[in-house]
Amino acid sequence: RGVGVRRIDHYNLLAQDVGKIREFLPAALGSRVTEEIKLNDGSYGGCWFTVNNKSYDVAYTRDHTKERGRFHHVTYAVDQRAVSSSKPTRTSTRSSRHSSCMSTSRRAIVWKSPMPVRG
């Protein structure tokens, strides 16, 4: 039967310099910063952006590895009827590098991967 996915809720990407992304997205796309994590050294640990009335559509968080262009997760908003439990349920695939999570409080499914996105 599957899950009633209505839309992509948000996605999270990893960046070496979140501050540069924080400057670029509003200038290039007209997005608004809705949340941010500013560290004691003045750099940014994370920044959340929106282009509509949601709290955020895309998030960038600091990547502590030397990799570039890594994907962290995507979250789908799902039809509430597809969720039968009032408690969050977590499931993992066989690979420890991938996991999925269904959260009834956010009514979302999250797909996470620390693997680099190569284009």
Side-chain angles (χ1 to χ4, degrees), residues 89-102 109-115:
T89 304
R90 292 188 180 268
T91 58
S92 293
T93 61
R94 289 185 182 149
S95 169
S96 62
R97 297 183 70 172
H98 298 83
S99 65
S100 62
C101 169
M102 180 179 284
I109 294 176
V110 179
W111 176 256
K112 297 182 351 181
S113 173
M115 296 170 57

Side-chain angles (χ1 to χ4, degrees), residues 3-18:
V3 177
V5 174
R6 291 182 294 141
R7 61 179 165 75
I8 293 177
D9 184 72
H10 73 273
Y11 58 94
N12 184 298
L13 303 172
L14 302 174
Q16 295 290 320
D17 189 341
V18 176

Side-chain angles (χ1 to χ4, degrees), residues 58-114:
V58 62
Y60 276 88
T61 50
R62 181 183 282 179
D63 192 340
H64 297 283
T65 70
K66 301 282 186 197
E67 294 287 334
R68 296 176 56 92
R70 291 194 333 138
F71 167 82
H72 188 266
H73 72 263
V74 63
T75 305
Y76 300 94
V78 298
D79 185 356
Q80 188 172 1
R81 292 177 303 228
V83 179
S84 61
S85 171
S86 61
K87 295 181 182 178
T89 304
R90 292 188 180 268
T91 58
S92 293
T93 61
R94 289 185 182 149
S95 169
S96 62
R97 297 183 70 172
H98 298 83
S99 65
S100 62
C101 169
M102 180 179 284
S103 168
T104 57
S105 61
R106 292 188 58 132
R107 292 178 297 171
I109 294 176
V110 179
W111 176 256
K112 297 182 351 181
S113 173

